[in-house]
Amino acid sequence: MSLRFHPSRRQFLAGLGSSLPLLAASGSQPLPGFTLTDVTAQSGIAFHHNSGAFGSKYLPETMGPGCAFFDYDSDGWLDILVINGMDWPGHKQHRSTMRLYHNNRNGTFTDVTERAGLAVEMYGLGVAIADYDNDGFPDIYVTAVGQNRLFHNTGRGTFTDVTAHAGLAGRTAFSTSALWFDYDRDGHLDLFVCNYVQWSPEHDVFCSVDGKNKSYCTPEAYHGSTCWLFRNRGNGVFEDVTAKSGIFDLSSKALGVAMIDVDRNGWPGLFVANDTQPNKLYRNLRNGQFEEVAVHAGVAFSDDGRARAGMGVDVADFDNSGRQSIAVTNFDDEMMALYRPGSAGAYEDSAVHSGIGQPSRSRLGFGCAFFDADLDGWLDLAAVNGHIDQTVRNIAGNHGYAQPPHLFLNDHHGAFRDVAPYVGSSFAAPKVARGLAIGDFDRDGDLDILLTTNNGPAYLYRNDLRTGNRSVRLLLRGVKSNRDGIGAVVRLTTPDGAQTRVVHTGSSYLSQSELALTFGIGHRDRADRLVIEWPSGSVQEFKSVAAGDWLLIEGGSLALRPRA
């Protein structure tokens, strides 16, 4: 069955759009052509994050939570997972766990956490989701303060905690973001985990602004902690290869991670966003080891040579050049970074020139994601913001505790403008935001937004497009490659040019977007050419790909198949 746009809502919104004024309130810029409608309450997403805060100002209370779009039961509809914290020992008030929401296929969700076996109490922060054992069902890795957990999908709507069996138990840390990728290209997904600082309640440092009252410490108060790399042996067990792979580094204070192929040779590396420490760029040496090249590549520091407070990160080809750029959210007064590839393997920070630098200077950024919000064939950039301490309100000239988000619309010429104030009052409202994930939960062809707030609710925003622009959506299934096709490079060509996307997990901050790829093609009925470079090295090519279909592509298949 081919999946088509819902005609009733699309036709109504297209007609509505034609009656709207062509310019924004300022009178100088066109309206963005879409609205982000808050459907949180009507969809049944009733979540409130528990940071565990009780007055002692523990550092982890400022950090979470993450969220994810994924199809846990493989029914073709995106479900939602939101991670949660818990009360600290000795200050127990109520039980809180992550929440899994099943998509009812009618715009609503049902909380199935208990029956799915995920009502596990832990101080969770981040999430990374992929089919690590290639059995056809996505598995869940949750990062935490303490013991991280791996939940195996049984394929029957339930999950089993296999942390110990997988060789991932017995170590505790302050873990943040994580991702799955096949760094040795053996067809089995490996696991990279960011760790922040060496902190525990027993070794909490007393920090104070006035010398009397405790405040949240900056990361400088604690020693860094190495990230971890676990190699998938292919039998359900993981091997810690952190040291021998070249990843081991106790100076890191990692919060965000994204997969990036620095050499564009099919061997995935990593970009790691560090808080108050230089960012890391790990180049895959194709022999099980990585070389750290961030300084040489120009992505370790700001232009004035300072290590910034990196939080979230995403990597994508936003200028349709065929090369990936890197977006990083930072602390307020530091502005976001937008590293574009230049000559001789180096990157240049184009944040100021592109128009995202100055607007982001007054915000403290966390989750960020490239996505084609208006389906015009050019990737836009969303970033959510919020400060870490409510007492910032008492500081003269501060930028606020709750802060508005950014939605930078791509102008097709290397620059962006922030249209967040024009896409919906709820989305534009200040929040203490953290996690951000992108996905098409209602299967209408455009991309929706899920975001979380610290010690507050999660929000679901439906993208209501008024322009009539269309998309081609692809879900890859590896045969020789890993089942999710993670690492596959897909290029779609129309008379307007070529777009490149890479299947990946991780990115943003503590969160994960859907694995399906979305190519906006404007008002065109079809794309001329589609080329897939699989991690196995095989290449597939298709011609004349119709718009409006959600297509399932299996490695080795000779034809596109509409996704049921």
Side-chain angles (χ1 to χ4, degrees), residues 66-88:
C67 57
F69 277 122
F70 77 123
D71 183 6
Y72 83 92
D73 54 356
S74 296
D75 67 349
W77 293 77
L78 287 177
D79 309 300
I80 286 174
L81 182 69
V82 189
I83 305 304
N84 210 348
M86 61 179 289
D87 293 332
W88 296 107

PDB file of all heavy atoms in Angstrom, residues 66-88:
ATOM      1  N   GLY A  66      16.425  13.273  28.058  1.00  0.00           N
ATOM      2  CA  GLY A  66      16.387  13.037  26.630  1.00  0.00           C
ATOM      3  C   GLY A  66      15.079  12.402  26.193  1.00  0.00           C
ATOM      4  O   GLY A  66      14.220  12.053  27.007  1.00  0.00           O
ATOM      5  N   CYS A  67      14.915  12.239  24.872  1.00  0.00           N
ATOM      6  CA  CYS A  67      13.692  11.669  24.316  1.00  0.00           C
ATOM      7  C   CYS A  67      14.006  11.027  22.969  1.00  0.00           C
ATOM      8  O   CYS A  67      15.083  11.240  22.405  1.00  0.00           O
ATOM      9  CB  CYS A  67      12.621  12.741  24.157  1.00  0.00           C
ATOM     10  SG  CYS A  67      13.118  14.142  23.119  1.00  0.00           S
ATOM     11  N   ALA A  68      13.045  10.261  22.443  1.00  0.00           N
ATOM     12  CA  ALA A  68      13.284   9.568  21.178  1.00  0.00           C
ATOM     13  C   ALA A  68      11.985   9.301  20.439  1.00  0.00           C
ATOM     14  O   ALA A  68      10.943   9.017  21.047  1.00  0.00           O
ATOM     15  CB  ALA A  68      14.012   8.248  21.419  1.00  0.00           C
ATOM     16  N   PHE A  69      12.059   9.385  19.107  1.00  0.00           N
ATOM     17  CA  PHE A  69      11.055   8.834  18.206  1.00  0.00           C
ATOM     18  C   PHE A  69      11.592   7.497  17.696  1.00  0.00           C
ATOM     19  O   PHE A  69      12.708   7.441  17.155  1.00  0.00           O
ATOM     20  CB  PHE A  69      10.848   9.743  16.998  1.00  0.00           C
ATOM     21  CG  PHE A  69       9.915  10.891  17.200  1.00  0.00           C
ATOM     22  CD1 PHE A  69      10.349  12.202  17.006  1.00  0.00           C
ATOM     23  CD2 PHE A  69       8.583  10.694  17.536  1.00  0.00           C
ATOM     24  CE1 PHE A  69       9.490  13.279  17.146  1.00  0.00           C
ATOM     25  CE2 PHE A  69       7.715  11.762  17.690  1.00  0.00           C
ATOM     26  CZ  PHE A  69       8.168  13.061  17.505  1.00  0.00           C
ATOM     27  N   PHE A  70      10.821   6.428  17.809  1.00  0.00           N
ATOM     28  CA  PHE A  70      11.210   5.146  17.229  1.00  0.00           C
ATOM     29  C   PHE A  70       9.997   4.236  17.155  1.00  0.00           C
ATOM     30  O   PHE A  70       9.009   4.433  17.869  1.00  0.00           O
ATOM     31  CB  PHE A  70      12.347   4.491  18.023  1.00  0.00           C
ATOM     32  CG  PHE A  70      11.925   3.833  19.324  1.00  0.00           C
ATOM     33  CD1 PHE A  70      12.185   2.484  19.560  1.00  0.00           C
ATOM     34  CD2 PHE A  70      11.296   4.564  20.335  1.00  0.00           C
ATOM     35  CE1 PHE A  70      11.817   1.884  20.754  1.00  0.00           C
ATOM     36  CE2 PHE A  70      10.930   3.969  21.531  1.00  0.00           C
ATOM     37  CZ  PHE A  70      11.193   2.621  21.742  1.00  0.00           C
ATOM     38  N   ASP A  71      10.064   3.246  16.297  1.00  0.00           N
ATOM     39  CA  ASP A  71       8.955   2.327  16.078  1.00  0.00           C
ATOM     40  C   ASP A  71       9.269   1.017  16.797  1.00  0.00           C
ATOM     41  O   ASP A  71       9.806   0.085  16.205  1.00  0.00           O
ATOM     42  CB  ASP A  71       8.779   2.111  14.573  1.00  0.00           C
ATOM     43  CG  ASP A  71       7.602   1.217  14.235  1.00  0.00           C
ATOM     44  OD1 ASP A  71       6.850   0.840  15.154  1.00  0.00           O
ATOM     45  OD2 ASP A  71       7.461   0.880  13.043  1.00  0.00           O
ATOM     46  N   TYR A  72       8.892   0.937  18.080  1.00  0.00           N
ATOM     47  CA  TYR A  72       9.335  -0.211  18.889  1.00  0.00           C
ATOM     48  C   TYR A  72       8.659  -1.513  18.493  1.00  0.00           C
ATOM     49  O   TYR A  72       9.230  -2.606  18.668  1.00  0.00           O
ATOM     50  CB  TYR A  72       9.137   0.069  20.385  1.00  0.00           C
ATOM     51  CG  TYR A  72       7.751  -0.192  20.921  1.00  0.00           C
ATOM     52  CD1 TYR A  72       7.407  -1.425  21.474  1.00  0.00           C
ATOM     53  CD2 TYR A  72       6.775   0.800  20.898  1.00  0.00           C
ATOM     54  CE1 TYR A  72       6.143  -1.659  21.985  1.00  0.00           C
ATOM     55  CE2 TYR A  72       5.518   0.586  21.406  1.00  0.00           C
ATOM     56  CZ  TYR A  72       5.195  -0.649  21.946  1.00  0.00           C
ATOM     57  OH  TYR A  72       3.938  -0.874  22.447  1.00  0.00           O
ATOM     58  N   ASP A  73       7.438  -1.447  17.938  1.00  0.00           N
ATOM     59  CA  ASP A  73       6.729  -2.674  17.572  1.00  0.00           C
ATOM     60  C   ASP A  73       6.712  -2.916  16.073  1.00  0.00           C
ATOM     61  O   ASP A  73       6.020  -3.824  15.599  1.00  0.00           O
ATOM     62  CB  ASP A  73       5.302  -2.649  18.122  1.00  0.00           C
ATOM     63  CG  ASP A  73       4.529  -1.399  17.710  1.00  0.00           C
ATOM     64  OD1 ASP A  73       5.127  -0.519  17.058  1.00  0.00           O
ATOM     65  OD2 ASP A  73       3.327  -1.301  18.041  1.00  0.00           O
ATOM     66  N   SER A  74       7.461  -2.121  15.315  1.00  0.00           N
ATOM     67  CA  SER A  74       7.603  -2.302  13.864  1.00  0.00           C
ATOM     68  C   SER A  74       6.264  -2.367  13.140  1.00  0.00           C
ATOM     69  O   SER A  74       6.067  -3.149  12.213  1.00  0.00           O
ATOM     70  CB  SER A  74       8.422  -3.573  13.569  1.00  0.00           C
ATOM     71  OG  SER A  74       9.734  -3.436  14.067  1.00  0.00           O
ATOM     72  N   ASP A  75       5.331  -1.479  13.557  1.00  0.00           N
ATOM     73  CA  ASP A  75       4.045  -1.432  12.877  1.00  0.00           C
ATOM     74  C   ASP A  75       3.975  -0.289  11.855  1.00  0.00           C
ATOM     75  O   ASP A  75       2.928  -0.055  11.254  1.00  0.00           O
ATOM     76  CB  ASP A  75       2.894  -1.306  13.881  1.00  0.00           C
ATOM     77  CG  ASP A  75       2.896   0.035  14.615  1.00  0.00           C
ATOM     78  OD1 ASP A  75       3.888   0.788  14.502  1.00  0.00           O
ATOM     79  OD2 ASP A  75       1.902   0.320  15.319  1.00  0.00           O
ATOM     80  N   GLY A  76       5.099   0.417  11.658  1.00  0.00           N
ATOM     81  CA  GLY A  76       5.150   1.493  10.684  1.00  0.00           C
ATOM     82  C   GLY A  76       4.779   2.854  11.231  1.00  0.00           C
ATOM     83  O   GLY A  76       4.769   3.837  10.480  1.00  0.00           O
ATOM     84  N   TRP A  77       4.507   2.957  12.536  1.00  0.00           N
ATOM     85  CA  TRP A  77       4.131   4.231  13.151  1.00  0.00           C
ATOM     86  C   TRP A  77       5.088   4.530  14.303  1.00  0.00           C
ATOM     87  O   TRP A  77       5.372   3.660  15.130  1.00  0.00           O
ATOM     88  CB  TRP A  77       2.697   4.178  13.668  1.00  0.00           C
ATOM     89  CG  TRP A  77       1.683   4.069  12.566  1.00  0.00           C
ATOM     90  CD1 TRP A  77       1.364   2.948  11.853  1.00  0.00           C
ATOM     91  CD2 TRP A  77       0.870   5.126  12.049  1.00  0.00           C
ATOM     92  NE1 TRP A  77       0.408   3.237  10.917  1.00  0.00           N
ATOM     93  CE2 TRP A  77       0.073   4.571  11.017  1.00  0.00           C
ATOM     94  CE3 TRP A  77       0.738   6.476  12.346  1.00  0.00           C
ATOM     95  CZ2 TRP A  77      -0.839   5.326  10.289  1.00  0.00           C
ATOM     96  CZ3 TRP A  77      -0.183   7.245  11.630  1.00  0.00           C
ATOM     97  CH2 TRP A  77      -0.960   6.665  10.612  1.00  0.00           C
ATOM     98  N   LEU A  78       5.549   5.782  14.346  1.00  0.00           N
ATOM     99  CA  LEU A  78       6.535   6.162  15.347  1.00  0.00           C
ATOM    100  C   LEU A  78       5.933   6.235  16.748  1.00  0.00           C
ATOM    101  O   LEU A  78       4.892   6.863  16.965  1.00  0.00           O
ATOM    102  CB  LEU A  78       7.146   7.518  15.011  1.00  0.00           C
ATOM    103  CG  LEU A  78       8.126   7.570  13.839  1.00  0.00           C
ATOM    104  CD1 LEU A  78       8.578   9.010  13.603  1.00  0.00           C
ATOM    105  CD2 LEU A  78       9.328   6.669  14.095  1.00  0.00           C
ATOM    106  N   ASP A  79       6.617   5.609  17.686  1.00  0.00           N
ATOM    107  CA  ASP A  79       6.280   5.685  19.094  1.00  0.00           C
ATOM    108  C   ASP A  79       7.232   6.671  19.773  1.00  0.00           C
ATOM    109  O   ASP A  79       8.181   7.168  19.155  1.00  0.00           O
ATOM    110  CB  ASP A  79       6.362   4.296  19.718  1.00  0.00           C
ATOM    111  CG  ASP A  79       5.582   3.262  18.916  1.00  0.00           C
ATOM    112  OD1 ASP A  79       4.359   3.446  18.763  1.00  0.00           O
ATOM    113  OD2 ASP A  79       6.191   2.303  18.406  1.00  0.00           O
ATOM    114  N   ILE A  80       6.987   6.954  21.032  1.00  0.00           N
ATOM    115  CA  ILE A  80       7.750   7.974  21.757  1.00  0.00           C
ATOM    116  C   ILE A  80       8.280   7.403  23.060  1.00  0.00           C
ATOM    117  O   ILE A  80       7.553   6.724  23.796  1.00  0.00           O
ATOM    118  CB  ILE A  80       6.866   9.207  22.034  1.00  0.00           C
ATOM    119  CG1 ILE A  80       6.647  10.003  20.742  1.00  0.00           C
ATOM    120  CG2 ILE A  80       7.467  10.097  23.118  1.00  0.00           C
ATOM    121  CD1 ILE A  80       5.663  11.148  20.883  1.00  0.00           C
ATOM    122  N   LEU A  81       9.549   7.694  23.349  1.00  0.00           N
ATOM    123  CA  LEU A  81      10.155   7.342  24.630  1.00  0.00           C
ATOM    124  C   LEU A  81      10.715   8.611  25.256  1.00  0.00           C
ATOM    125  O   LEU A  81      11.415   9.382  24.588  1.00  0.00           O
ATOM    126  CB  LEU A  81      11.275   6.315  24.441  1.00  0.00           C
ATOM    127  CG  LEU A  81      11.960   5.822  25.723  1.00  0.00           C
ATOM    128  CD1 LEU A  81      11.005   4.953  26.546  1.00  0.00           C
ATOM    129  CD2 LEU A  81      13.231   5.031  25.385  1.00  0.00           C
ATOM    130  N   VAL A  82      10.390   8.831  26.522  1.00  0.00           N
ATOM    131  CA  VAL A  82      10.928   9.975  27.259  1.00  0.00           C
ATOM    132  C   VAL A  82      11.634   9.446  28.507  1.00  0.00           C
ATOM    133  O   VAL A  82      11.060   8.668  29.275  1.00  0.00           O
ATOM    134  CB  VAL A  82       9.832  10.975  27.662  1.00  0.00           C
ATOM    135  CG1 VAL A  82      10.464  12.251  28.222  1.00  0.00           C
ATOM    136  CG2 VAL A  82       8.935  11.315  26.480  1.00  0.00           C
ATOM    137  N   ILE A  83      12.887   9.840  28.676  1.00  0.00           N
ATOM    138  CA  ILE A  83      13.698   9.372  29.800  1.00  0.00           C
ATOM    139  C   ILE A  83      13.374  10.187  31.051  1.00  0.00           C
ATOM    140  O   ILE A  83      12.952  11.340  30.966  1.00  0.00           O
ATOM    141  CB  ILE A  83      15.198   9.476  29.439  1.00  0.00           C
ATOM    142  CG1 ILE A  83      15.472   8.716  28.138  1.00  0.00           C
ATOM    143  CG2 ILE A  83      16.073   8.917  30.555  1.00  0.00           C
ATOM    144  CD1 ILE A  83      15.049   7.262  28.148  1.00  0.00           C
ATOM    145  N   ASN A  84      13.589   9.592  32.224  1.00  0.00           N
ATOM    146  CA  ASN A  84      13.251  10.280  33.473  1.00  0.00           C
ATOM    147  C   ASN A  84      14.342  10.080  34.516  1.00  0.00           C
ATOM    148  O   ASN A  84      15.124   9.120  34.449  1.00  0.00           O
ATOM    149  CB  ASN A  84      11.926   9.750  34.032  1.00  0.00           C
ATOM    150  CG  ASN A  84      11.166  10.794  34.819  1.00  0.00           C
ATOM    151  OD1 ASN A  84      11.706  11.864  35.145  1.00  0.00           O
ATOM    152  ND2 ASN A  84       9.917  10.526  35.120  1.00  0.00           N
ATOM    153  N   GLY A  85      14.385  11.008  35.449  1.00  0.00           N
ATOM    154  CA  GLY A  85      15.259  10.872  36.603  1.00  0.00           C
ATOM    155  C   GLY A  85      14.524  10.186  37.740  1.00  0.00           C
ATOM    156  O   GLY A  85      13.545   9.472  37.521  1.00  0.00           O
ATOM    157  N   MET A  86      14.952  10.430  38.956  1.00  0.00           N
ATOM    158  CA  MET A  86      14.305   9.833  40.123  1.00  0.00           C
ATOM    159  C   MET A  86      14.709  10.623  41.366  1.00  0.00           C
ATOM    160  O   MET A  86      15.613  11.462  41.323  1.00  0.00           O
ATOM    161  CB  MET A  86      14.722   8.368  40.280  1.00  0.00           C
ATOM    162  CG  MET A  86      16.217   8.164  40.491  1.00  0.00           C
ATOM    163  SD  MET A  86      16.713   6.432  40.710  1.00  0.00           S
ATOM    164  CE  MET A  86      16.052   6.105  42.348  1.00  0.00           C
ATOM    165  N   ASP A  87      14.019  10.353  42.467  1.00  0.00           N
ATOM    166  CA  ASP A  87      14.392  10.967  43.738  1.00  0.00           C
ATOM    167  C   ASP A  87      15.717  10.400  44.215  1.00  0.00           C
ATOM    168  O   ASP A  87      16.010   9.209  44.019  1.00  0.00           O
ATOM    169  CB  ASP A  87      13.313  10.706  44.789  1.00  0.00           C
ATOM    170  CG  ASP A  87      12.002  11.412  44.467  1.00  0.00           C
ATOM    171  OD1 ASP A  87      12.057  12.465  43.807  1.00  0.00           O
ATOM    172  OD2 ASP A  87      10.946  10.905  44.872  1.00  0.00           O
ATOM    173  N   TRP A  88      16.511  11.250  44.843  1.00  0.00           N
ATOM    174  CA  TRP A  88      17.793  10.794  45.375  1.00  0.00           C
ATOM    175  C   TRP A  88      17.584   9.936  46.616  1.00  0.00           C
ATOM    176  O   TRP A  88      16.609  10.129  47.348  1.00  0.00           O
ATOM    177  CB  TRP A  88      18.677  11.990  45.728  1.00  0.00           C
ATOM    178  CG  TRP A  88      19.072  12.825  44.548  1.00  0.00           C
ATOM    179  CD1 TRP A  88      18.604  14.053  44.222  1.00  0.00           C
ATOM    180  CD2 TRP A  88      20.002  12.452  43.528  1.00  0.00           C
ATOM    181  NE1 TRP A  88      19.184  14.490  43.053  1.00  0.00           N
ATOM    182  CE2 TRP A  88      20.046  13.538  42.605  1.00  0.00           C
ATOM    183  CE3 TRP A  88      20.801  11.337  43.299  1.00  0.00           C
ATOM    184  CZ2 TRP A  88      20.864  13.531  41.477  1.00  0.00           C
ATOM    185  CZ3 TRP A  88      21.610  11.330  42.160  1.00  0.00           C
ATOM    186  CH2 TRP A  88      21.643  12.403  41.273  1.00  0.00           C
TER     187      TRP A  88
END
